[in-house]
Amino acid sequence: MKRLWPNSLVGQLLLIVALMLLVAQGVNSFLLYRGAQNQNLLEASTSSVARIAFALERQSTNRRGEAGGANGGRRGTRLKYGPETAVTDDMKRLPELEARAGQAFSNMGIGFSDIRAAEVRRLTPDMTGHVIGSNRGKWRDNPINRSMGSRATPLETKGFVIVSARRDDGQWISVASAVRERNPMLVRTLLFQTIITYLLMLIPLVLLGRYISRPLKTLTATARSFQPGKTETLEEQGPPDTRELIRAFNDMSGRVSNMLNEKNVMLGAIGHDLRTPLAALRVRIENVDDDIEREKMVDGIEDMDQMLDDILSLARLGRSSEQSNPVDIRSMIETVVDEFTDLGHQVRYQRGEKQIATVRETLIRRALRNLIGNSVLYGKAADISVEKSGDKLMIIVDDDGPGIPDEKIDAMFEPFLRGEESRNRATGGSGLGLTLARAIARDHGGDIVLTNRPGGGLRATLSLPA
């Protein structure tokens, strides 16, 4: 069902309208069909009532012979006379037609003690010789009648209506009338009506849907590629509601750009104001005679400097001036791996095929360094491999460490949260490494996922658009 449901606004609108029109046309067709069917039954019963009335009129004027052997109507149709009705209990009774027949006989001054009408698909043997309209097709096919203009193809008989009336003396008069198949023009008319309705409704809806969806598509594309300060103001177009939405987006874009500009100015001031005293403090501690104390002070300053650098990098991520370029991921990983191996860390890279991705290389390098740094810090060694899955490039970093409890994996991406609870720099970083790495990945349209390996250890998967 989901595959049949369109994703676009225009498609959903057209599908809903088309389904509603189909349901409405189906109900309309059903009502017309039932009306035509009831009309056919009414015409057949009217013929039977007229034939019975005509026969009784002839009897009353002594124009006929005995009732049992005289013709009951034109073209040799005979009425059936007998002590029992031709309508049996297993036949489909027609109460409405019975009431109409009684009213018709009453209007003609003919009284019957009981009137019954029924619809049957096939006649019983005792009624086969008492049918009105059964030979109409043969009559129309007669060469003389065809020459007189009766060229229409006769409709097929789909059943019969039997009308049986009981006189005061207890004798039943019965006759059957053929019910013709509905006119095929009715089906053609319904099809033509359906096509015209769909054209009159759906074509304007298609134009209206495109009028509405075109500016929405433009707005969606602009929102996805939104870069504060770089996104141009959208032209207001479409219906009033859509114009109001575009106007609100333009206002929001301007506010966001102004806020980020103010934030960058503030961060620049913070970075300058903090780095300057840190640099001065770094110079001053060189005069400390105690080597151990001096080293502790240097480590503390380096921790503060690194933390400050991580915070500023995370805050300025969406405003990076670096442009995205095609990068050979294999060569980039080899460069980062060499940095760690030169420092004596066990980092292994399973060299694969050349893979190209359009990224900001400096940021991706930093994200990869953070992932590998966590692996060598907590897992002592790192194994790196690259896989391609559909339109995604997967950089996988495995370690042999203790892993992370499943309930804490999502929380590890929160700022300043570390797997190692102490704040010792030797056993962990500032707690911003994973946060910054995932922010970089998502800024490129990818993500980072952490999973525990079945054999032990943790797997970090950095996905990027290939």
Side-chain angles (χ1 to χ4, degrees):
M1 183 62 183
K2 291 184 179 180
R3 295 181 179 179
L4 299 178
W5 186 255
N7 295 323
S8 65
L9 172 65
V10 178
Q12 294 179 3
L13 178 64
L14 292 179
L15 180 59
I16 292 175
V17 173
L19 291 177
M20 293 300 99
L21 285 177
L22 182 62
V23 172
Q25 194 65 12
V27 173
N28 182 43
S29 300
F30 174 75
L31 294 177
L32 289 177
Y33 171 78
R34 290 296 300 271
Q37 188 179 38
N38 292 335
Q39 183 65 26
N40 291 339
L41 294 176
L42 181 59
E43 291 176 356
S45 65
T46 301
S47 299
S48 299
V49 169
R51 184 57 52 87
I52 293 175
F54 177 73
L56 293 180
E57 182 182 0
R58 292 187 62 181
Q59 289 181 14
S60 64
T61 56
N62 294 323
R63 295 179 182 177
R64 299 182 55 184
E66 296 181 359
N71 289 339
R74 293 168 291 181
R75 297 190 295 275
T77 300
R78 301 168 58 88
L79 298 177
K80 178 187 176 185
Y81 295 84
E84 296 181 357
T85 178
V87 178
T88 58
D89 294 337
D90 58 344
M91 295 181 181
K92 180 182 178 182
R93 296 283 294 274
L94 303 173
E96 184 179 353
L97 295 185
E98 292 174 354
R100 285 177 175 269
Q103 185 64 40
F105 284 130
S106 177
N107 292 339
M108 291 184 288
I110 303 174
F112 289 103
S113 60
D114 191 7
I115 298 174
R116 299 183 183 182
E119 180 186 8
V120 295
R121 300 291 296 179
R122 294 181 181 180
L123 290 174
T124 56
D126 60 329
M127 287 297 297
T128 55
H130 309 281
V131 185
I132 303 173
S134 60
N135 59 348
R136 189 179 302 172
K138 298 179 180 178
W139 180 81
R140 288 185 177 178
D141 283 341
N142 187 285
I144 298 177
N145 292 325
R146 287 202 305 268
S147 66
M148 294 174 64
S150 181
R151 300 179 181 274
T153 303
L155 300 177
E156 297 182 359
T157 301
K158 69 170 188 177
F160 301 90
V161 169
I162 300 176
V163 176
S164 186
R166 185 173 63 181
R167 298 194 300 191
D168 294 337
D169 59 2
Q171 190 178 40
W172 288 87
I173 303 175
S174 304
V175 68
S177 181
V179 179
R180 300 295 175 183
E181 186 63 62
R182 62 183 183 276
N183 195 327
M185 287 299 296
L186 177 62
V187 178
R188 298 176 187 174
T189 302
L190 289 175
L191 290 177
F192 179 75
Q193 178 185 2
T194 302
I195 294 174
I196 293 300
T197 303
Y198 269 81
L199 291 178
L200 292 178
M201 291 293 293
L202 295 185
I203 290 179
L205 284 176
V206 171
L207 299 178
L208 177 62
R210 294 184 62 183
Y211 175 67
I212 296 174
S213 64
R214 187 181 294 113
L216 290 179
K217 289 181 179 178
T218 304
L219 178 60
T220 301
T222 305
R224 286 177 176 173
S225 60
F226 176 72
Q227 292 184 356
K230 298 181 181 180
T231 302
E232 297 181 358
T233 302
L234 289 178
E235 178 185 358
E236 298 179 10
Q237 54 182 341
D241 292 344
T242 306
R243 291 173 179 266
E244 186 66 25
L245 176 62
I246 295 176
R247 188 179 303 115
F249 175 82
N250 290 333
D251 294 342
M252 181 199 68
S253 175
R255 291 195 301 269
V256 170
S257 298
N258 293 334
M259 290 174 60
L260 291 179
N261 289 333
E262 293 175 359
K263 185 198 71 171
N264 287 337
V265 173
M266 180 187 66
L267 290 175
I270 292 175
H272 178 270
D273 292 344
L274 290 180
R275 289 183 187 276
T276 299
L278 285 176
L281 186 60
R282 181 75 176 268
V283 173
R284 291 179 181 179
I285 64 175
E286 295 297 331
N287 297 324
V288 176
D289 295 331
D290 192 333
D291 294 338
I292 298 177
E293 291 296 328
R294 185 174 62 250
E295 290 297 328
K296 290 182 180 179
M297 293 180 183
V298 170
D299 290 341
I301 293 176
E302 290 180 351
D303 288 348
M304 295 176 63
D305 190 65
Q306 181 62 42
M307 184 180 299
L308 179 62
D309 185 58
D310 288 342
I311 294 174
L312 294 178
S313 298
L314 183 61
R316 291 172 174 169
L317 181 61
R319 304 282 284 180
S320 175
S321 59
E322 183 184 4
Q323 299 296 322
S324 298
N325 294 298
V327 174
D328 182 2
I329 299 298
R330 180 182 60 182
S331 300
M332 183 193 70
I333 294 176
E334 289 177 346
T335 302
V336 176
V337 170
D338 289 341
E339 295 175 3
F340 281 90
T341 54
D342 291 344
L343 295 175
H345 298 295
Q346 296 183 19
V347 180
R348 297 177 291 271
Y349 172 46
Q350 301 177 9
R351 184 184 179 90
E353 298 179 356
K354 183 178 181 180
Q355 301 287 355
I356 302 295
T358 302
V359 297
R360 286 180 280 179
E361 185 174 3
T362 302
L363 292 177
I364 296 300
R365 283 176 185 268
R366 182 158 193 169
L368 189 57
R369 289 192 189 101
N370 290 349
L371 295 180
I372 297 177
N374 284 340
S375 295
V376 298
L377 180 62
Y378 296 106
K380 308 307 179 184
D383 290 304
I384 306 173
S385 59
V386 179
E387 298 178 0
K388 190 173 183 181
S389 176
D391 60 346
K392 294 290 185 180
L393 197 63
M394 321 294 288
I395 302 176
I396 301 173
V397 181
D398 293 332
D399 64 46
D400 299 325
I404 301 175
D406 292 337
E407 65 274 9
K408 293 185 178 181
I409 286 182
D410 292 336
M412 295 307 299
F413 291 102
E414 296 179 6
F416 305 109
L417 184 65
R418 306 190 329 174
E420 205 277 328
E421 298 296 338
S422 72
R423 306 307 301 174
N424 188 349
R425 184 76 180 182
T427 59
S430 61
L432 290 173
L434 285 177
T435 305
L436 180 59
R438 187 173 68 169
I440 292 173
R442 291 184 173 179
D443 187 57
H444 284 77
D447 203 354
I448 290 180
V449 178
L450 300 180
T451 55
N452 288 306
R453 300 171 60 194
L458 188 70
R459 165 169 291 186
T461 303
L462 168 62
S463 62
L464 296 171

